[in-house]
């Protein structure tokens, strides 16, 4: 999961990750209001949240993709484990993020 400051940037991150096959799907939620401390001041900003669906094996590559393309100096990158899910859906996520599907 990450956040960014515009719908266009959120869609670019989502499309780029799916295109690179480091995510099978990305969902954009917006707008959200974030309140946080940055460089000693409390800030409030409108952001767009992007939730990426990927396999554990592709997480590091997804993280590198986000770090390399995100406009923020310190982007939020958070992963949560899947403890249960539809076998068919999880098989689809694994297939869509398989490196060999991307020509590797």
């Amino acid at each position: 999961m990450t956040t960014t400051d515009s719908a266009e940037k959120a869609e670019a991150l989502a499309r780029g990750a799916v295109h690179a096959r480091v995510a099978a799907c990305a969902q954009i939620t917006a707008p959200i209001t974030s309140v946080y401390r940055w460089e000693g001041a409390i800030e409030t900003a409108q952001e767009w949240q992007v939730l990426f669906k990927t396999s554990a094996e592709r997480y590091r590559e997804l993280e590198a993709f986000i770090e390399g393309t995100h406009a923020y100096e310190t982007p939020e990158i958070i992963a949560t484990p899947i403890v249960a899910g539809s076998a068919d859906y999880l098989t689809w996520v694994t297939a869509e993020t398989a490196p060999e599907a991307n020509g590797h």
Side-chain angles (χ1 to χ4, degrees):
M1 172 177 48
T2 193
T3 56
T4 191
D5 61 359
S6 75
E8 295 79 18
K9 289 176 185 174
E11 186 169 343
L13 285 167
R15 285 182 146 306
V18 171
H19 178 76
R21 291 195 178 268
V22 293
C25 173
Q27 297 172 317
I28 301 168
T29 305
I32 60 171
T33 301
S34 295
V35 179
Y36 54 95
R37 187 178 307 275
W38 184 252
E39 297 180 348
I42 296 177
E43 304 285 340
T44 301
Q46 189 174 66
E47 293 186 297
W48 282 254
Q49 186 177 66
V50 186
L51 178 62
F52 300 93
K53 313 294 180 70
T54 195
S55 64
E57 294 78 22
R58 297 289 276 175
Y59 170 77
R60 291 285 173 218
E61 290 171 274
L62 174 59
E63 181 180 319
F65 170 83
I66 294 168
E67 288 175 340
T69 57
H70 205 292
Y72 287 6
E73 179 181 334
T74 306
E76 170 187 10
I77 303 173
I78 296 174
T80 56
I82 297 171
V83 296
S86 158
D88 288 343
Y89 185 79
L90 298 177
T91 298
W92 174 79
V93 168
T94 300
E96 288 301 310
T97 58
E100 59 273 4
N102 196 22
H104 293 150

